[in-house]
Amino acid sequence: MTSQSDIPDVPAPEAAPEAPKKVLSPAAQRALAEAEERRRLAAEEAARPKEINGRGGPDPVRYGDWEIKGIACDF
């Protein structure tokens, strides 16, 4: 059986050098920005309180009309 004093000190492995940043095309940068915006909007929507016994789907007031059994009606 070996004791702790018998084990030689081994230097910790050095961290690999950081890879250079990849240059993205303007289209790729735009796509990443749009994806981040979609994630932000989804997080905001998820944070809203849930409606109890409400209608499913988007808010009808937003579109200026209501739909009841597939028929749009204005008030």
Short mmCIF file of all heavy atoms in Angstrom, two decimals:
data_model
loop_
_atom_site.label_atom_id
_atom_site.label_comp_id
_atom_site.label_asym_id
_atom_site.label_seq_id
_atom_site.Cartn_x
_atom_site.Cartn_y
_atom_site.Cartn_z
N MET A 1 0.85 -1.17 0.00
CA MET A 1 0.00 0.00 0.00
C MET A 1 0.90 1.23 0.00
O MET A 1 1.87 1.30 0.71
CB MET A 1 -0.89 -0.04 1.24
CG MET A 1 -1.86 1.07 1.25
SD MET A 1 -3.25 0.59 2.26
CE MET A 1 -3.18 1.77 3.51
N THR A 2 0.51 2.23 -0.81
CA THR A 2 1.33 3.43 -0.90
C THR A 2 0.69 4.54 -0.10
O THR A 2 -0.54 4.62 0.02
CB THR A 2 1.49 3.88 -2.36
OG1 THR A 2 0.21 4.18 -2.86
CG2 THR A 2 2.16 2.83 -3.21
N SER A 3 1.48 5.40 0.41
CA SER A 3 0.96 6.54 1.17
C SER A 3 0.92 7.76 0.25
O SER A 3 1.50 7.76 -0.83
CB SER A 3 1.84 6.82 2.39
OG SER A 3 3.10 7.25 1.97
N GLN A 4 0.26 8.78 0.70
CA GLN A 4 0.12 10.00 -0.10
C GLN A 4 1.48 10.63 -0.38
O GLN A 4 1.68 11.24 -1.41
CB GLN A 4 -0.77 11.01 0.63
CG GLN A 4 -2.22 10.63 0.70
CD GLN A 4 -2.88 10.67 -0.67
OE1 GLN A 4 -2.42 11.33 -1.58
NE2 GLN A 4 -3.98 9.95 -0.81
N SER A 5 2.43 10.46 0.51
CA SER A 5 3.74 11.09 0.32
C SER A 5 4.55 10.37 -0.77
O SER A 5 5.48 10.94 -1.32
CB SER A 5 4.53 11.11 1.63
OG SER A 5 4.72 9.78 2.07
N ASP A 6 4.18 9.13 -1.12
CA ASP A 6 4.91 8.39 -2.15
C ASP A 6 4.49 8.78 -3.57
O ASP A 6 5.19 8.50 -4.53
CB ASP A 6 4.68 6.88 -1.99
CG ASP A 6 5.30 6.35 -0.71
OD1 ASP A 6 6.17 7.04 -0.14
OD2 ASP A 6 4.90 5.26 -0.28
N ILE A 7 3.32 9.44 -3.72
CA ILE A 7 2.83 9.80 -5.04
C ILE A 7 3.47 11.11 -5.45
O ILE A 7 3.40 12.11 -4.74
CB ILE A 7 1.29 9.93 -5.03
CG1 ILE A 7 0.67 8.61 -4.61
CG2 ILE A 7 0.77 10.39 -6.38
CD1 ILE A 7 -0.81 8.68 -4.40
N PRO A 8 4.16 11.12 -6.61
CA PRO A 8 4.81 12.37 -7.03
C PRO A 8 3.76 13.41 -7.43
O PRO A 8 2.66 13.08 -7.87
CB PRO A 8 5.65 11.95 -8.24
CG PRO A 8 4.99 10.72 -8.75
CD PRO A 8 4.38 10.05 -7.55
N ASP A 9 4.13 14.67 -7.29
CA ASP A 9 3.23 15.76 -7.69
C ASP A 9 3.15 15.80 -9.20
O ASP A 9 4.15 15.85 -9.90
CB ASP A 9 3.75 17.10 -7.17
CG ASP A 9 3.57 17.22 -5.67
OD1 ASP A 9 2.67 16.56 -5.14
OD2 ASP A 9 4.33 17.98 -5.05
N VAL A 10 1.95 15.75 -9.70
CA VAL A 10 1.73 15.81 -11.14
C VAL A 10 1.11 17.16 -11.44
O VAL A 10 0.09 17.52 -10.83
CB VAL A 10 0.78 14.67 -11.60
CG1 VAL A 10 0.50 14.78 -13.08
CG2 VAL A 10 1.37 13.33 -11.23
N PRO A 11 1.68 17.92 -12.36
CA PRO A 11 1.10 19.23 -12.65
C PRO A 11 -0.28 19.07 -13.30
O PRO A 11 -0.53 18.11 -14.03
CB PRO A 11 2.09 19.87 -13.62
CG PRO A 11 2.86 18.73 -14.20
CD PRO A 11 2.87 17.66 -13.15
N ALA A 12 -1.16 19.99 -12.99
CA ALA A 12 -2.51 19.96 -13.55
C ALA A 12 -2.42 20.22 -15.04
O ALA A 12 -1.58 21.00 -15.49
CB ALA A 12 -3.37 21.02 -12.88
N PRO A 13 -3.25 19.56 -15.82
CA PRO A 13 -3.21 19.81 -17.26
C PRO A 13 -3.61 21.25 -17.55
O PRO A 13 -4.53 21.80 -16.94
CB PRO A 13 -4.23 18.83 -17.83
CG PRO A 13 -5.10 18.45 -16.69
CD PRO A 13 -4.27 18.60 -15.45
N GLU A 14 -2.91 21.85 -18.48
CA GLU A 14 -3.20 23.24 -18.83
C GLU A 14 -4.44 23.28 -19.70
O GLU A 14 -4.72 22.37 -20.47
CB GLU A 14 -2.02 23.84 -19.58
CG GLU A 14 -0.78 23.98 -18.71
CD GLU A 14 0.35 24.62 -19.47
OE1 GLU A 14 0.07 25.42 -20.38
OE2 GLU A 14 1.49 24.33 -19.14
N ALA A 15 -5.17 24.36 -19.56
CA ALA A 15 -6.39 24.52 -20.37
C ALA A 15 -5.97 24.73 -21.82
O ALA A 15 -4.96 25.35 -22.11
CB ALA A 15 -7.18 25.71 -19.87
N ALA A 16 -6.74 24.17 -22.69
CA ALA A 16 -6.45 24.32 -24.11
C ALA A 16 -6.58 25.80 -24.49
O ALA A 16 -7.46 26.50 -23.97
CB ALA A 16 -7.40 23.48 -24.93
N PRO A 17 -5.73 26.27 -25.37
CA PRO A 17 -5.86 27.68 -25.76
C PRO A 17 -7.20 27.91 -26.45
O PRO A 17 -7.73 27.04 -27.12
CB PRO A 17 -4.70 27.89 -26.73
CG PRO A 17 -4.28 26.53 -27.16
CD PRO A 17 -4.66 25.59 -26.06
N GLU A 18 -7.74 29.09 -26.21
CA GLU A 18 -9.06 29.41 -26.77
C GLU A 18 -8.97 29.47 -28.28
O GLU A 18 -8.05 30.05 -28.84
CB GLU A 18 -9.53 30.76 -26.23
CG GLU A 18 -10.93 30.71 -25.70
CD GLU A 18 -11.36 32.05 -25.18
OE1 GLU A 18 -11.14 32.31 -24.00
OE2 GLU A 18 -11.91 32.82 -25.98
N ALA A 19 -9.94 28.86 -28.92
CA ALA A 19 -9.99 28.89 -30.38
C ALA A 19 -10.36 30.29 -30.83
O ALA A 19 -11.12 30.98 -30.15
CB ALA A 19 -11.01 27.88 -30.89
N PRO A 20 -9.83 30.73 -31.94
CA PRO A 20 -10.19 32.06 -32.42
C PRO A 20 -11.69 32.13 -32.74
O PRO A 20 -12.29 31.16 -33.16
CB PRO A 20 -9.35 32.25 -33.67
CG PRO A 20 -8.89 30.90 -34.07
CD PRO A 20 -8.92 30.05 -32.83
N LYS A 21 -12.27 33.29 -32.51
CA LYS A 21 -13.69 33.47 -32.77
C LYS A 21 -13.96 33.33 -34.27
O LYS A 21 -13.20 33.81 -35.09
CB LYS A 21 -14.16 34.85 -32.31
CG LYS A 21 -14.07 35.05 -30.83
CD LYS A 21 -15.20 34.35 -30.14
CE LYS A 21 -15.10 34.60 -28.66
NZ LYS A 21 -16.11 33.96 -27.92
N LYS A 22 -15.05 32.67 -34.58
CA LYS A 22 -15.43 32.46 -35.97
C LYS A 22 -16.10 33.72 -36.50
O LYS A 22 -16.95 34.30 -35.83
CB LYS A 22 -16.38 31.27 -36.06
CG LYS A 22 -16.54 30.69 -37.41
CD LYS A 22 -17.38 29.43 -37.33
CE LYS A 22 -17.27 28.67 -38.61
NZ LYS A 22 -18.07 27.47 -38.58
N VAL A 23 -15.72 34.15 -37.66
CA VAL A 23 -16.33 35.33 -38.27
C VAL A 23 -17.61 34.90 -38.95
O VAL A 23 -17.63 34.00 -39.79
CB VAL A 23 -15.36 35.98 -39.29
CG1 VAL A 23 -16.00 37.18 -39.94
CG2 VAL A 23 -14.05 36.36 -38.61
N LEU A 24 -18.71 35.54 -38.56
CA LEU A 24 -20.01 35.18 -39.11
C LEU A 24 -20.40 36.16 -40.20
O LEU A 24 -20.10 37.35 -40.14
CB LEU A 24 -21.08 35.21 -38.01
CG LEU A 24 -20.89 34.22 -36.87
CD1 LEU A 24 -21.95 34.44 -35.82
CD2 LEU A 24 -20.94 32.80 -37.38
N SER A 25 -21.09 35.65 -41.18
CA SER A 25 -21.59 36.50 -42.26
C SER A 25 -22.72 37.38 -41.72
O SER A 25 -23.33 37.07 -40.69
CB SER A 25 -22.10 35.64 -43.41
OG SER A 25 -23.27 34.97 -43.02
N PRO A 26 -23.01 38.47 -42.41
CA PRO A 26 -24.12 39.32 -41.95
C PRO A 26 -25.45 38.56 -41.87
O PRO A 26 -26.25 38.79 -40.97
CB PRO A 26 -24.19 40.43 -43.01
CG PRO A 26 -22.81 40.49 -43.57
CD PRO A 26 -22.30 39.07 -43.52
N ALA A 27 -25.68 37.63 -42.81
CA ALA A 27 -26.92 36.85 -42.78
C ALA A 27 -26.97 35.97 -41.53
O ALA A 27 -28.02 35.84 -40.90
CB ALA A 27 -27.04 35.99 -44.03
N ALA A 28 -25.85 35.39 -41.16
CA ALA A 28 -25.80 34.55 -39.97
C ALA A 28 -26.01 35.39 -38.71
O ALA A 28 -26.71 34.97 -37.78
CB ALA A 28 -24.47 33.80 -39.89
N GLN A 29 -25.42 36.57 -38.67
CA GLN A 29 -25.61 37.45 -37.52
C GLN A 29 -27.07 37.87 -37.40
O GLN A 29 -27.62 37.92 -36.30
CB GLN A 29 -24.71 38.69 -37.66
CG GLN A 29 -23.24 38.37 -37.53
CD GLN A 29 -22.36 39.56 -37.82
OE1 GLN A 29 -22.84 40.60 -38.28
NE2 GLN A 29 -21.08 39.42 -37.57
N ARG A 30 -27.70 38.17 -38.54
CA ARG A 30 -29.12 38.53 -38.55
C ARG A 30 -29.97 37.37 -38.06
O ARG A 30 -30.90 37.55 -37.27
CB ARG A 30 -29.51 38.92 -39.98
CG ARG A 30 -30.38 40.10 -40.09
CD ARG A 30 -30.68 40.58 -41.50
NE ARG A 30 -30.48 39.63 -42.58
CZ ARG A 30 -29.46 39.67 -43.45
NH1 ARG A 30 -28.53 40.60 -43.34
NH2 ARG A 30 -29.36 38.78 -44.41
N ALA A 31 -29.66 36.16 -38.50
CA ALA A 31 -30.43 34.98 -38.08
C ALA A 31 -30.29 34.75 -36.58
O ALA A 31 -31.28 34.43 -35.90
CB ALA A 31 -29.95 33.75 -38.85
N LEU A 32 -29.10 34.94 -36.04
CA LEU A 32 -28.90 34.77 -34.60
C LEU A 32 -29.67 35.84 -33.82
O LEU A 32 -30.26 35.54 -32.77
CB LEU A 32 -27.41 34.83 -34.26
CG LEU A 32 -26.59 33.62 -34.69
CD1 LEU A 32 -25.11 33.87 -34.46
CD2 LEU A 32 -27.04 32.38 -33.96
N ALA A 33 -29.69 37.06 -34.32
CA ALA A 33 -30.43 38.13 -33.66
C ALA A 33 -31.92 37.84 -33.68
O ALA A 33 -32.63 38.04 -32.68
CB ALA A 33 -30.13 39.46 -34.32
N GLU A 34 -32.43 37.35 -34.83
CA GLU A 34 -33.85 37.02 -34.93
C GLU A 34 -34.22 35.87 -34.00
O GLU A 34 -35.28 35.88 -33.37
CB GLU A 34 -34.21 36.66 -36.37
CG GLU A 34 -34.18 37.84 -37.31
CD GLU A 34 -34.32 37.44 -38.78
OE1 GLU A 34 -34.55 36.24 -39.05
OE2 GLU A 34 -34.21 38.32 -39.63
N ALA A 35 -33.35 34.87 -33.89
CA ALA A 35 -33.61 33.74 -32.99
C ALA A 35 -33.63 34.20 -31.54
O ALA A 35 -34.48 33.76 -30.76
CB ALA A 35 -32.55 32.66 -33.19
N GLU A 36 -32.72 35.10 -31.18
CA GLU A 36 -32.69 35.62 -29.81
C GLU A 36 -33.97 36.41 -29.52
O GLU A 36 -34.54 36.28 -28.43
CB GLU A 36 -31.47 36.52 -29.62
CG GLU A 36 -31.34 37.09 -28.23
CD GLU A 36 -31.23 36.03 -27.16
OE1 GLU A 36 -30.63 34.98 -27.41
OE2 GLU A 36 -31.76 36.26 -26.05
N GLU A 37 -34.45 37.18 -30.49
CA GLU A 37 -35.69 37.93 -30.32
C GLU A 37 -36.88 36.98 -30.14
O GLU A 37 -37.74 37.20 -29.28
CB GLU A 37 -35.92 38.84 -31.54
CG GLU A 37 -37.18 39.67 -31.46
CD GLU A 37 -37.16 40.75 -30.40
OE1 GLU A 37 -36.08 41.03 -29.84
OE2 GLU A 37 -38.23 41.29 -30.10
N ARG A 38 -36.93 35.90 -30.93
CA ARG A 38 -38.01 34.92 -30.78
C ARG A 38 -37.97 34.27 -29.40
O ARG A 38 -39.00 34.05 -28.76
CB ARG A 38 -37.91 33.84 -31.85
CG ARG A 38 -38.47 34.27 -33.19
CD ARG A 38 -38.64 33.09 -34.13
NE ARG A 38 -37.41 32.35 -34.36
CZ ARG A 38 -36.50 32.65 -35.28
NH1 ARG A 38 -36.68 33.68 -36.07
NH2 ARG A 38 -35.41 31.91 -35.41
N ARG A 39 -36.76 33.96 -28.91
CA ARG A 39 -36.64 33.37 -27.57
C ARG A 39 -37.12 34.33 -26.50
O ARG A 39 -37.79 33.96 -25.54
CB ARG A 39 -35.19 32.97 -27.29
CG ARG A 39 -34.78 31.69 -27.92
CD ARG A 39 -33.40 31.26 -27.42
NE ARG A 39 -32.65 30.71 -28.51
CZ ARG A 39 -31.72 31.34 -29.22
NH1 ARG A 39 -31.36 32.55 -28.91
NH2 ARG A 39 -31.12 30.76 -30.22
N ARG A 40 -36.78 35.62 -26.66
CA ARG A 40 -37.18 36.63 -25.69
C ARG A 40 -38.70 36.76 -25.66
O ARG A 40 -39.32 36.80 -24.59
CB ARG A 40 -36.54 37.97 -26.02
CG ARG A 40 -36.79 39.06 -24.97
CD ARG A 40 -36.25 40.40 -25.40
NE ARG A 40 -36.90 40.92 -26.59
CZ ARG A 40 -38.12 41.48 -26.60
NH1 ARG A 40 -38.80 41.57 -25.50
NH2 ARG A 40 -38.63 41.94 -27.72
N LEU A 41 -39.33 36.82 -26.85
CA LEU A 41 -40.79 36.94 -26.92
C LEU A 41 -41.48 35.70 -26.35
O LEU A 41 -42.51 35.82 -25.68
CB LEU A 41 -41.23 37.18 -28.37
CG LEU A 41 -40.84 38.54 -28.95
CD1 LEU A 41 -41.20 38.60 -30.42
CD2 LEU A 41 -41.49 39.67 -28.18
N ALA A 42 -40.92 34.53 -26.61
CA ALA A 42 -41.51 33.29 -26.07
C ALA A 42 -41.41 33.28 -24.55
O ALA A 42 -42.34 32.84 -23.86
CB ALA A 42 -40.81 32.08 -26.66
N ALA A 43 -40.31 33.77 -24.01
CA ALA A 43 -40.14 33.82 -22.55
C ALA A 43 -41.13 34.81 -21.94
O ALA A 43 -41.71 34.54 -20.87
CB ALA A 43 -38.72 34.20 -22.19
N GLU A 44 -41.35 35.95 -22.61
CA GLU A 44 -42.33 36.92 -22.10
C GLU A 44 -43.73 36.33 -22.12
O GLU A 44 -44.50 36.52 -21.19
CB GLU A 44 -42.30 38.19 -22.96
CG GLU A 44 -41.12 39.09 -22.70
CD GLU A 44 -41.14 40.33 -23.58
OE1 GLU A 44 -42.15 40.54 -24.31
OE2 GLU A 44 -40.15 41.07 -23.55
N GLU A 45 -44.07 35.62 -23.19
CA GLU A 45 -45.40 35.02 -23.29
C GLU A 45 -45.59 33.95 -22.23
O GLU A 45 -46.67 33.82 -21.65
CB GLU A 45 -45.60 34.42 -24.68
CG GLU A 45 -47.01 33.96 -24.92
CD GLU A 45 -47.24 33.53 -26.35
OE1 GLU A 45 -46.66 34.12 -27.25
OE2 GLU A 45 -48.02 32.57 -26.52
N ALA A 46 -44.55 33.18 -21.96
CA ALA A 46 -44.65 32.13 -20.94
C ALA A 46 -44.79 32.73 -19.54
O ALA A 46 -45.37 32.10 -18.65
CB ALA A 46 -43.43 31.22 -21.01
N ALA A 47 -44.29 33.95 -19.36
CA ALA A 47 -44.35 34.58 -18.05
C ALA A 47 -45.73 35.19 -17.75
O ALA A 47 -46.02 35.50 -16.59
CB ALA A 47 -43.28 35.67 -17.94
N ARG A 48 -46.54 35.36 -18.77
CA ARG A 48 -47.88 35.94 -18.56
C ARG A 48 -48.75 34.96 -17.76
O ARG A 48 -48.62 33.75 -17.90
CB ARG A 48 -48.56 36.20 -19.89
CG ARG A 48 -47.93 37.31 -20.67
CD ARG A 48 -48.75 37.57 -21.91
NE ARG A 48 -47.93 38.32 -22.85
CZ ARG A 48 -48.01 38.21 -24.15
NH1 ARG A 48 -48.90 37.40 -24.70
NH2 ARG A 48 -47.23 38.91 -24.93
N PRO A 49 -49.67 35.49 -16.97
CA PRO A 49 -50.57 34.60 -16.23
C PRO A 49 -51.50 33.87 -17.19
O PRO A 49 -51.91 34.41 -18.21
CB PRO A 49 -51.34 35.53 -15.31
CG PRO A 49 -51.19 36.88 -15.89
CD PRO A 49 -49.91 36.89 -16.67
N LYS A 50 -51.81 32.64 -16.86
CA LYS A 50 -52.69 31.83 -17.69
C LYS A 50 -54.15 32.20 -17.42
O LYS A 50 -54.54 32.46 -16.29
CB LYS A 50 -52.49 30.33 -17.41
CG LYS A 50 -51.09 29.84 -17.73
CD LYS A 50 -50.83 29.93 -19.21
CE LYS A 50 -49.42 29.46 -19.50
NZ LYS A 50 -49.02 29.67 -20.86
N GLU A 51 -54.95 32.21 -18.48
CA GLU A 51 -56.36 32.52 -18.35
C GLU A 51 -57.10 31.25 -17.98
O GLU A 51 -56.88 30.19 -18.57
CB GLU A 51 -56.89 33.07 -19.67
CG GLU A 51 -58.32 33.52 -19.59
CD GLU A 51 -58.78 34.18 -20.87
OE1 GLU A 51 -57.94 34.64 -21.65
OE2 GLU A 51 -60.00 34.19 -21.09
N ILE A 52 -57.99 31.34 -17.01
CA ILE A 52 -58.75 30.19 -16.57
C ILE A 52 -60.09 30.18 -17.31
O ILE A 52 -60.79 31.19 -17.36
CB ILE A 52 -58.98 30.25 -15.04
CG1 ILE A 52 -57.63 30.23 -14.34
CG2 ILE A 52 -59.86 29.11 -14.58
CD1 ILE A 52 -57.70 30.46 -12.86
N ASN A 53 -60.43 29.05 -17.92
CA ASN A 53 -61.66 28.87 -18.69
C ASN A 53 -61.78 29.87 -19.84
O ASN A 53 -62.87 30.26 -20.21
CB ASN A 53 -62.89 28.95 -17.80
CG ASN A 53 -62.95 27.82 -16.82
OD1 ASN A 53 -62.47 26.72 -17.10
ND2 ASN A 53 -63.51 28.07 -15.65
N GLY A 54 -60.66 30.28 -20.39
CA GLY A 54 -60.68 31.23 -21.50
C GLY A 54 -60.63 30.53 -22.84
O GLY A 54 -60.55 29.31 -22.94
N ARG A 55 -60.70 31.32 -23.88
CA ARG A 55 -60.61 30.79 -25.24
C ARG A 55 -59.16 30.43 -25.54
O ARG A 55 -58.24 31.05 -25.04
CB ARG A 55 -61.05 31.85 -26.24
CG ARG A 55 -62.50 32.21 -26.14
CD ARG A 55 -62.81 33.37 -27.07
NE ARG A 55 -62.07 33.30 -28.31
CZ ARG A 55 -62.56 32.80 -29.45
NH1 ARG A 55 -63.77 32.35 -29.48
NH2 ARG A 55 -61.84 32.79 -30.54
N GLY A 56 -58.95 29.49 -26.42
CA GLY A 56 -57.61 29.16 -26.86
C GLY A 56 -57.20 30.06 -28.01
O GLY A 56 -58.03 30.72 -28.61
N GLY A 57 -55.94 30.10 -28.29
CA GLY A 57 -55.45 30.86 -29.43
C GLY A 57 -55.14 32.31 -29.11
O GLY A 57 -55.20 32.74 -27.96
N PRO A 58 -54.82 33.07 -30.15
CA PRO A 58 -54.45 34.46 -29.94
C PRO A 58 -55.63 35.32 -29.47
O PRO A 58 -56.79 34.97 -29.68
CB PRO A 58 -53.94 34.93 -31.30
CG PRO A 58 -54.39 33.93 -32.28
CD PRO A 58 -54.70 32.67 -31.54
N ASP A 59 -55.30 36.43 -28.86
CA ASP A 59 -56.31 37.34 -28.34
C ASP A 59 -57.15 37.89 -29.48
O ASP A 59 -56.63 38.52 -30.40
CB ASP A 59 -55.61 38.47 -27.61
CG ASP A 59 -56.56 39.42 -26.92
OD1 ASP A 59 -57.74 39.07 -26.78
OD2 ASP A 59 -56.11 40.51 -26.53
N PRO A 60 -58.48 37.70 -29.48
CA PRO A 60 -59.30 38.16 -30.59
C PRO A 60 -59.36 39.68 -30.70
O PRO A 60 -59.57 40.21 -31.78
CB PRO A 60 -60.68 37.57 -30.30
CG PRO A 60 -60.65 37.21 -28.87
CD PRO A 60 -59.23 36.96 -28.49
N VAL A 61 -59.17 40.40 -29.62
CA VAL A 61 -59.21 41.86 -29.66
C VAL A 61 -58.07 42.38 -30.54
O VAL A 61 -58.21 43.41 -31.20
CB VAL A 61 -59.12 42.44 -28.23
CG1 VAL A 61 -59.04 43.95 -28.26
CG2 VAL A 61 -60.30 41.98 -27.41
N ARG A 62 -56.99 41.66 -30.59
CA ARG A 62 -55.84 42.06 -31.39
C ARG A 62 -56.22 42.15 -32.87
O ARG A 62 -55.71 43.00 -33.60
CB ARG A 62 -54.72 41.05 -31.19
CG ARG A 62 -53.52 41.30 -32.03
CD ARG A 62 -52.46 40.27 -31.72
NE ARG A 62 -51.37 40.40 -32.65
CZ ARG A 62 -50.44 39.50 -32.85
NH1 ARG A 62 -50.47 38.38 -32.17
NH2 ARG A 62 -49.48 39.69 -33.70
N TYR A 63 -57.10 41.29 -33.34
CA TYR A 63 -57.46 41.25 -34.75
C TYR A 63 -58.75 42.03 -35.04
O TYR A 63 -59.17 42.10 -36.18
CB TYR A 63 -57.61 39.79 -35.20
CG TYR A 63 -56.32 39.04 -35.04
CD1 TYR A 63 -56.14 38.15 -33.98
CD2 TYR A 63 -55.27 39.25 -35.90
CE1 TYR A 63 -54.95 37.48 -33.82
CE2 TYR A 63 -54.06 38.59 -35.74
CZ TYR A 63 -53.92 37.70 -34.70
OH TYR A 63 -52.74 37.05 -34.53
N GLY A 64 -59.40 42.59 -34.03
CA GLY A 64 -60.58 43.40 -34.25
C GLY A 64 -61.86 42.61 -34.46
O GLY A 64 -62.88 43.17 -34.80
N ASP A 65 -61.83 41.32 -34.33
CA ASP A 65 -63.05 40.53 -34.44
C ASP A 65 -62.95 39.29 -33.57
O ASP A 65 -61.89 38.91 -33.12
CB ASP A 65 -63.36 40.15 -35.88
CG ASP A 65 -62.27 39.31 -36.51
OD1 ASP A 65 -61.36 38.83 -35.80
OD2 ASP A 65 -62.32 39.11 -37.72
N TRP A 66 -64.07 38.68 -33.35
CA TRP A 66 -64.15 37.48 -32.54
C TRP A 66 -64.64 36.34 -33.41
O TRP A 66 -65.39 36.55 -34.36
CB TRP A 66 -65.12 37.69 -31.38
CG TRP A 66 -64.66 38.70 -30.40
CD1 TRP A 66 -64.59 40.04 -30.57
CD2 TRP A 66 -64.18 38.44 -29.09
NE1 TRP A 66 -64.10 40.65 -29.46
CE2 TRP A 66 -63.84 39.68 -28.52
CE3 TRP A 66 -64.01 37.29 -28.34
CZ2 TRP A 66 -63.34 39.80 -27.24
CZ3 TRP A 66 -63.52 37.42 -27.05
CH2 TRP A 66 -63.19 38.66 -26.52
N GLU A 67 -64.25 35.15 -33.07
CA GLU A 67 -64.70 33.99 -33.82
C GLU A 67 -65.46 33.08 -32.86
O GLU A 67 -64.97 32.76 -31.78
CB GLU A 67 -63.51 33.23 -34.39
CG GLU A 67 -63.91 31.98 -35.10
CD GLU A 67 -62.72 31.07 -35.33
OE1 GLU A 67 -61.60 31.55 -35.43
OE2 GLU A 67 -62.97 29.85 -35.39
N ILE A 68 -66.65 32.71 -33.25
CA ILE A 68 -67.44 31.79 -32.44
C ILE A 68 -67.85 30.64 -33.35
O ILE A 68 -68.56 30.85 -34.34
CB ILE A 68 -68.68 32.50 -31.84
CG1 ILE A 68 -68.22 33.64 -30.95
CG2 ILE A 68 -69.54 31.50 -31.07
CD1 ILE A 68 -69.33 34.51 -30.44
N LYS A 69 -67.42 29.45 -33.05
CA LYS A 69 -67.69 28.25 -33.83
C LYS A 69 -67.35 28.45 -35.31
O LYS A 69 -68.11 28.07 -36.20
CB LYS A 69 -69.15 27.83 -33.68
CG LYS A 69 -69.48 27.43 -32.25
CD LYS A 69 -70.89 26.92 -32.14
CE LYS A 69 -71.18 26.55 -30.69
NZ LYS A 69 -72.53 26.10 -30.50
N GLY A 70 -66.21 29.08 -35.58
CA GLY A 70 -65.75 29.24 -36.94
C GLY A 70 -66.31 30.42 -37.68
O GLY A 70 -65.97 30.67 -38.83
N ILE A 71 -67.20 31.20 -37.05
CA ILE A 71 -67.79 32.37 -37.70
C ILE A 71 -67.27 33.61 -37.00
O ILE A 71 -67.37 33.76 -35.78
CB ILE A 71 -69.34 32.32 -37.60
CG1 ILE A 71 -69.86 31.07 -38.29
CG2 ILE A 71 -69.94 33.59 -38.20
CD1 ILE A 71 -71.33 30.83 -38.07
N ALA A 72 -66.69 34.53 -37.79
CA ALA A 72 -66.18 35.78 -37.23
C ALA A 72 -67.34 36.74 -37.07
O ALA A 72 -68.16 36.91 -37.95
CB ALA A 72 -65.11 36.38 -38.12
N CYS A 73 -67.41 37.36 -35.90
CA CYS A 73 -68.47 38.34 -35.66
C CYS A 73 -67.86 39.57 -35.00
O CYS A 73 -67.00 39.46 -34.14
CB CYS A 73 -69.57 37.74 -34.80
SG CYS A 73 -69.02 37.17 -33.20
N ASP A 74 -68.31 40.74 -35.43
CA ASP A 74 -67.84 42.00 -34.85
C ASP A 74 -68.90 42.52 -33.89
O ASP A 74 -70.08 42.31 -34.08
CB ASP A 74 -67.61 43.04 -35.95
CG ASP A 74 -66.47 42.64 -36.88
OD1 ASP A 74 -65.53 42.01 -36.38
OD2 ASP A 74 -66.53 42.97 -38.07
N PHE A 75 -68.41 43.19 -32.89
CA PHE A 75 -69.35 43.75 -31.92
C PHE A 75 -69.57 45.19 -32.20
O PHE A 75 -68.79 45.92 -32.65
CB PHE A 75 -68.82 43.56 -30.48
CG PHE A 75 -68.85 42.15 -30.05
CD1 PHE A 75 -67.73 41.35 -30.15
CD2 PHE A 75 -70.00 41.60 -29.55
CE1 PHE A 75 -67.76 40.04 -29.74
CE2 PHE A 75 -70.03 40.29 -29.14
CZ PHE A 75 -68.91 39.51 -29.23
#
